[in-house]
Amino acid sequence: MFYVAKQKKQYLSLKEYKLTDWVPTTKKEVEMRGWNELDVILFSGDAYVDHPSFGPAVIGRLLEAQGLKVAIVPQPNWRDDLRDFKKLGRPRLFFGVSAGCMDSMVNKYTANKRLRSEDAYTPDGRHDMRPEYPSIVYTQILKKIYPDVPVILGGIEASLRRVTHYDYWQDCLRKSILIDSGADLLIYGIPTEPPGRFVGAAYMRPAAFWQAAVCRTHPAERSRPLPTKHPLSSSCREGS
């Protein structure tokens, strides 16, 4: 009896959360907050989990703490009419893209290049909710729909692939993911401070900031050819 009473007391003491306590993921949730426009929209290859182990959730909360209107689109469908990429419209500042907590190819395939039976970061463990190389796929889609909106890459997939690298899955050298994706900036490592700096600069002089940023970091401005004995393989796909 004492145990039941204790459990009931703990249940009643739990904080009740409203839908607006979470970072919005749909148009309806954005409207519930009374927002007409978003400052930043984040796209993630993982499901949305409001926990410090999930990078997009952390970045979303950090930007939100700075007074920005932020939304997250988890695991958008890239095979239909791309409605998931259009449903929240155009952000005022930029898009953020992350493949998720793991490199997408490690998450999708075993070391023997066999399809894994489940995806640990997807509801019901479904393994068909993200493409191969989502950092590339999502960015290319966003650049096609909103060519004038900056896209910032982040996450482990972008971090590991920020320079020329050997791709085990395709058995070839691949260029920096900045070149393959067409993104404007790439933040690698632990990106807890850079987004705040970008936001501050973008707020003050948005046009001048992004023009300078793209000139400093865009692959077309800083790409260099590889030594001839290690050429990039022409058989590498651009992502799927």
Side-chain angles (χ1 to χ4, degrees):
M1 189 69 180
F2 173 75
Y3 175 78
V4 173
K6 184 178 180 181
Q7 290 291 96
K8 184 177 181 181
K9 183 178 179 180
Q10 290 178 346
Y11 174 79
L12 294 175
S13 65
L14 290 176
K15 180 180 178 180
E16 293 186 4
Y17 290 95
K18 299 179 294 183
L19 192 57
T20 52
D21 291 330
W22 314 108
V23 178
T25 60
T26 65
K27 184 69 174 177
K28 180 180 179 181
E29 292 172 8
V30 171
E31 293 173 347
M32 288 176 63
R33 292 190 173 212
W35 295 348
N36 297 320
E37 182 185 35
L38 290 164
D39 296 314
V40 178
I41 300 176
L42 306 175
F43 285 82
S44 173
D46 290 338
Y48 169 49
V49 179
D50 199 59
H51 187 273
S53 63
F54 288 78
V58 174
I59 298 301
R61 290 300 191 183
L62 288 173
L63 295 175
E64 189 178 56
Q66 296 186 25
L68 297 183
K69 299 174 182 176
V70 185
I72 296 178
V73 180
Q75 299 184 318
N77 191 339
W78 74 101
R79 293 170 294 194
D80 59 4
D81 57 1
L82 307 180
R83 66 186 65 182
D84 285 345
F85 294 87
K86 305 173 184 177
K87 64 182 181 181
L88 298 181
R90 177 193 305 266
R92 195 170 64 84
L93 295 178
F94 60 85
F95 288 111
V97 173
S98 170
C101 293
M102 294 175 63
D103 182 277
S104 63
M105 301 302 283
V106 176
N107 184 75
K108 201 174 187 70
Y109 297 100
T110 67
N112 290 327
K113 300 183 180 181
R114 295 183 178 180
L115 187 67
R116 293 187 186 276
S117 58
E118 63 177 24
D119 184 334
Y121 299 100
T122 299
D124 300 323
R126 293 181 57 180
H127 57 75
D128 60 346
M129 295 298 290
R130 74 178 87 209
E132 296 178 359
Y133 310 104
S135 297
I136 296 175
V137 176
Y138 294 167
T139 301
Q140 289 180 345
I141 291 173
L142 290 171
K143 279 299 183 181
K144 183 177 181 180
I145 301 174
Y146 308 103
D148 57 331
V149 179
V151 177
I152 298 179
L153 284 181
I156 190 168
E157 180 171 271
S159 296
L160 295 176
R161 299 171 181 271
R162 67 185 183 274
V163 295
T164 300
H165 57 282
Y166 171 72
D167 189 292
Y168 169 75
W169 317 101
Q170 296 183 13
D171 191 24
C172 66
L173 289 177
R174 292 195 62 145
K175 301 175 183 177
S176 165
I177 199 169
L178 268 174
I179 298 176
D180 285 342
S181 67
D184 298 283
L185 293 174
L186 189 156
I187 305 175
Y188 65 92
I190 303 176
T192 53
E193 292 186 9
R197 299 175 186 171
F198 292 148
V199 168
Y203 256 126
M204 297 300 293
R205 299 179 61 190
F209 167 74
W210 286 113
Q211 184 178 8
V214 172
C215 287
R216 288 195 305 268
T217 64
H218 198 279
E221 299 292 333
R222 59 181 177 80
S223 59
R224 297 182 180 179
L226 290 171
T228 55
K229 64 178 181 179
H230 294 300
L232 283 173
S233 171
S234 59
S235 64
C236 274
R237 294 173 294 158
E238 294 300 319
S240 57

